[in-house]
Amino acid sequence: MKPSLIAAYVALVLMPLGLLGWMGLRLAMDEQEIVRHRFRQLLQVGLQDTEEEIHKQLKGRTQSLLRTLESTPLKTDALRAMLAHSGLLRQVFVLGADCRRLHPPLDPPWTRAEREFLAQVEPAWPDLAALCRHRGPEGSNGAPARSGWKVWRSRDIHIVRWQRLDGGELVGLELDSTRLLADIIGSLPHDRMRGGRVALVDSVGEIVYQWGRYEPAPGELPRASLDLGPPLGAWKLVHYASAAEIDRALGSSMVYSLLAGLAVAAVLLLGLAVYFYRQSTRHIRDASERVSFVNRVSHELRTPLTNIRLYAEMLADSLPEDDERSHRRLDVVLSETRRLSRLIANVLTLGHKQKGQLALCTTPAVPDEIIRAVLAHFQPSLDARGIELRFEAGAERCVSVDTDALEQILGNLISNAERYAAEGGLVAIESRQKEDKTVVWVSDRGPGIPSRQRDKVFEAFHRVSDKLTDSSSGTGLGLAIARDLARMHGGDLTLESSEVGARFRVVLRTPAATPPER
Ligand code: ADP
C-alpha cells in the first residue's frame, strides 16, 4: 500500500476523531461550567435557608420582648423590673414624644447597668436622637420607619431594636449579644454535614460557629458566601466545599460518556476506513488483473497479426499489377491489420509503462526514411478517404533513434488525423534536424482541438466528447503514449496553436550516428 494512501486513511480517521474530540471537550467544558454555576447556586440556596432560620430566631425573640414591653408601663421601675426578668435584654431606653430621655432617668440614681449603658451609648446617641425626630430611615410607604435596628461598637457590640410607639415615644431594646449569639447558634444545624463545611463568621472575620466534617486548608476560599442582614449586617455565612463534594456535583459521567462516545466514533471510523481500504484494494487488484489480462491477450494477438500482415504483404507483392480490385481489397486488409497492430502496441506500451519496464532501443537510422515508411503504410487508406498526404522532408542525417518509438508516435498522430480530420482533406508532415534534435510536425485541416482540452487530450483514456469523437472508436491512449515515448526520447510532444486544424510537434533527442554498413 502506498504511503500517501496510508496517510490519507490515517487522516480520514484522525481528522474527524480530532474534530469530534475537540467539539466534545468544548461541550464538556461548557457543561461543567454550567454545573459549577448550578452547584454554587445550590450552596447559596443552602446558605439562604440558614440565614432565614437565623432571622426567624431573631424575629421570634424580639417580638416576644416587644409583646412584654406592650404590657409594661413606660416607667423606670416597671422597665427595671422587666429587664430583671428577661435573660435576653441588656438595657431598655425610652425617649419621650418631645425626644427627652424618659428612661434611664435623666438624673441619677442609676443602676450600674444603666450607668454603663449611658457611657457606652454616647457614640450612637446623635443617631438615636435623630431617629426620634423622625429623621431616620424611611419605611416601605415612604414615611419614616416605625422600627429598625441600630448596631454600634464601643468596648462591646451593641445591638438595639428600636420601636416607635403610637404615643410618639421611641423605645430601644438593647439585646445581650452573647445571649443572642447563643440562641442563634442553638437554632443552627448540628448534624455533621458530609463533604463540606458551613461557618458563621462575625464582623471581625472570626468563625463563631461551624458545622460539617470537611476541614478547609489554611487560606482556602469558600465556594459560596452570604452577608447576613441587619442587625448582623457585618456577619456572614460561608460554605467550604470539599473536592469530593465538588466532584459529586460536577459528576464525572460527562467525561466518561465523552470518552465512550469518542471510542464508538473511533471504532466506527476505523471500521469505515478498513471497509474503504478493502474496497479500494479489491478495485486496484481487479483493475490490475484486467490490465494484465488485456496485456496477455494483446501479446497473444501480436504474433498472429504480424503473420497476417506479412502474408497479406506477400500476397500483394505476388498479385499481378493490373488486378486492381484484389490490390484494393488487400490494402484494406493491410491497413486494418496495421491499425490493430498500433492499438496492440499502445496497450503493450501502457502495460510496460505501468510495470516500469518501458525502455528505448536506439539504433542508427535516418528519421526521414522512417517517416516515409510510415507514410507509405498510411497512403492507401488516406487515398481511399480522399486525404492528401504532404511531406516536407528535412531530417536526412543519420541519427541514433528508436525506430519503433518514432513509428508509434507518428502512427498515432497520423491515425488521429485520418479519423478526426478527414474533412480537412490534408495531412502535412514536416521534419527538421537541429543540432542533436529531430523535430517533426504533423498537421491537419480538421476541426482542431478546443483550447480547454489542449492539455487533457494527453491524459491516458481521455477523449474529447463531441460528435466527431463519439462517432469514431478509440481508447484515449494514442496521444498519452506518444507523449510518453517522446519524453523518454529526451523530447516532448506538444500541440501548437494553428489557425486551422490541429498541429502537433514531436521533438526527439537524436544524437548524430554513423550509418550502418549495408
Ligand atoms: P483516441 O484517438 O483513441 O480517442 P488519443 O489519445 O489519440 O485517443 O486522442 C485523444 C483525443 O484527442 C481524441 O479522442 C480526439 O478527440 C482528440 N484528437 C486527437 N487528435 C486529433 C486531431 N488531429 N483532430 C481533432 N481531435 C483530435
Side-chain angles (χ1 to χ4, degrees):
M1 195 175 176
K2 281 185 185 169
S4 59
L5 206 61
I6 296 177
Y9 277 112
V10 171
L12 203 76
V13 175
L14 286 188
M15 264 162 55
L17 214 61
L19 201 72
L20 273 177
W22 178 75
M23 277 163 53
L25 209 70
R26 289 281 315 260
L27 210 72
M29 274 157 64
D30 286 354
E31 184 78 7
Q32 284 225 332
E33 191 46 52
I34 293 170
V35 175
R36 216 170 267 139
H37 180 69
R38 279 204 203 123
F39 176 62
R40 276 197 297 270
Q41 278 181 335
L42 214 70
L43 297 184
Q44 206 70 25
V45 168
L47 293 183
Q48 276 164 4
D49 287 349
T50 313
E51 187 213 19
E52 263 175 40
E53 195 51 49
I54 291 173
H55 282 284
K56 218 163 87 189
Q57 274 294 322
L58 212 59
K59 201 172 164 193
R61 298 297 155 117
T62 47
Q63 273 179 352
S64 106
L65 284 175
L66 287 169
R67 268 197 304 278
T68 318
L69 185 72
E70 270 172 28
S71 56
T72 310
L74 296 179
K75 296 277 187 272
T76 294
D77 291 346
L79 291 170
R80 279 180 181 159
M82 176 188 158
L83 195 63
H85 285 102
S86 163
L88 186 58
L89 262 185
R90 193 193 269 169
Q91 193 50 258
V92 183
F93 70 87
V94 182
L95 303 182
D98 55 356
C99 291
R100 277 164 59 86
R101 197 174 78 219
L102 299 181
H103 180 80
L106 281 175
D107 302 313
W110 297 310
T111 64
R112 213 178 103 227
E114 284 168 354
R115 201 174 316 114
E116 274 176 18
F117 171 75
L118 288 172
Q120 289 176 19
V121 82
E122 270 317 313
W125 209 241
D127 285 353
L128 292 171
L131 265 180
C132 179
R133 289 185 205 101
H134 294 279
R135 283 195 226 110
E138 290 184 348
S140 52
N141 55 0
R146 290 189 62 80
S147 64
W149 292 96
K150 174 77 194 152
V151 181
W152 75 95
R153 261 186 177 278
S154 56
R155 247 190 1 233
D156 202 358
I157 182 151
H158 298 273
I159 301 171
V160 169
R161 168 79 193 189
W162 58 266
Q163 179 86 30
R164 213 183 292 284
L165 301 183
D166 293 340
E169 301 90 347
L170 186 87
V171 181
L173 305 172
E174 189 194 2
L175 306 185
D176 183 333
S177 56
T178 318
R179 177 67 192 273
L180 180 69
L181 187 60
D183 284 356
I184 287 174
I185 288 173
S187 71
L188 290 176
H190 296 279
D191 61 324
R192 294 180 68 74
M193 186 174 55
R194 273 191 310 131
R197 170 164 285 187
V198 180
L200 179 63
V201 182
D202 71 8
S203 55
V204 287
E206 267 177 26
I207 292 177
V208 180
Y209 180 68
Q210 57 188 358
W211 67 98
R213 276 185 211 168
Y214 175 60
E215 281 290 340
E220 183 179 326
L221 292 177
R223 297 277 157 176
S225 116
L226 181 73
D227 290 335
L228 297 180
L232 303 170
W235 292 37
K236 57 186 174 188
L237 280 166
V238 291
H239 189 127
Y240 295 95
S242 67
E245 195 183 5
I246 297 168
D247 279 355
R248 241 198 332 275
L250 296 183
S252 42
S253 57
M254 186 73 192
V255 178
Y256 286 128
S257 47
L258 175 71
L259 285 177
L262 278 179
V264 171
V267 169
L268 278 175
L269 283 170
L270 269 174
L272 266 177
V274 169
Y275 172 76
F276 282 125
Y277 168 67
R278 286 208 173 146
Q279 287 288 324
S280 68
T281 45
R282 216 184 68 206
H283 283 311
I284 291 169
R285 208 175 46 238
D286 288 355
S288 75
E289 271 170 13
R290 259 179 256 136
V291 168
S292 84
F293 170 74
V294 172
N295 271 338
R296 278 200 306 274
V297 171
S298 306
H299 211 270
E300 290 302 314
L301 283 176
R302 202 155 67 161
T303 321
L305 206 61
T306 315
N307 284 339
I308 293 170
R309 210 180 68 207
L310 271 176
Y311 282 102
E313 279 169 357
M314 279 161 61
L315 198 60
D317 287 346
S318 62
L319 273 180
E321 288 275 322
D322 54 355
D323 190 354
E324 280 185 17
R325 220 165 134 215
S326 304
H327 270 291
R328 259 201 321 275
R329 286 177 181 168
L330 267 179
D331 280 346
V332 174
V333 173
L334 276 169
S335 120
E336 288 305 306
T337 49
R338 283 194 192 104
R339 201 159 79 85
L340 216 53
S341 299
R342 265 197 311 278
L343 183 69
I344 287 171
N346 281 343
V347 172
L348 289 175
T349 308
L350 180 75
H352 286 142
K353 190 192 160 199
Q354 282 181 342
K355 287 187 198 152
Q357 293 171 348
L358 195 58
L360 290 184
C361 174
T362 54
T363 48
V366 176
D368 278 350
E369 283 177 10
I370 303 170
I371 298 170
R372 274 193 197 98
V374 174
L375 295 184
H377 290 147
F378 274 98
Q379 191 75 63
S381 60
L382 290 175
D383 285 348
R385 286 171 176 253
I387 303 171
E388 186 195 337
L389 188 58
R390 224 181 264 168
F391 176 38
E392 204 181 295
E396 278 143 8
R397 231 175 337 110
C398 180
V399 290
S400 177
V401 64
D402 184 321
T403 313
D404 289 342
L406 181 56
E407 275 180 5
Q408 202 173 340
I409 295 170
L410 292 174
N412 287 348
L413 293 176
I414 299 169
S415 154
N416 279 352
E418 184 189 2
R419 280 182 297 149
Y420 305 122
E423 63 181 46
L426 176 76
V427 177
I429 321 289
E430 231 179 294
S431 66
R432 292 281 176 276
Q433 273 175 324
K434 219 179 181 188
E435 291 161 8
D436 67 343
K437 296 231 165 69
T438 300
V439 186
V440 183
W441 286 269
V442 178
S443 19
D444 60 56
R445 289 194 185 151
I449 293 173
S451 54
R452 61 177 188 287
Q453 297 279 348
R454 294 178 84 88
D455 287 328
K456 288 204 164 164
V457 286
F458 291 103
E459 287 171 13
F461 307 110
H462 181 84
R463 304 195 73 217
V464 177
S465 181
D466 59 22
K467 250 190 358 220
L468 195 73
T469 312
D470 295 345
S471 61
S472 87
S473 64
T475 54
L477 282 178
L479 291 180
I481 298 283
R483 176 177 263 188
D484 282 343
L485 289 172
R487 286 185 174 171
M488 277 189 73
H489 220 300
D492 205 351
L493 168 65
T494 47
L495 179 63
E496 288 193 337
S497 49
S498 62
E499 277 175 22
V500 272
R503 183 175 162 84
F504 290 95
R505 179 173 177 256
V506 185
V507 181
L508 302 182
R509 208 176 70 80
T510 48
T514 334
E517 285 183 19
R518 305 209 182 216

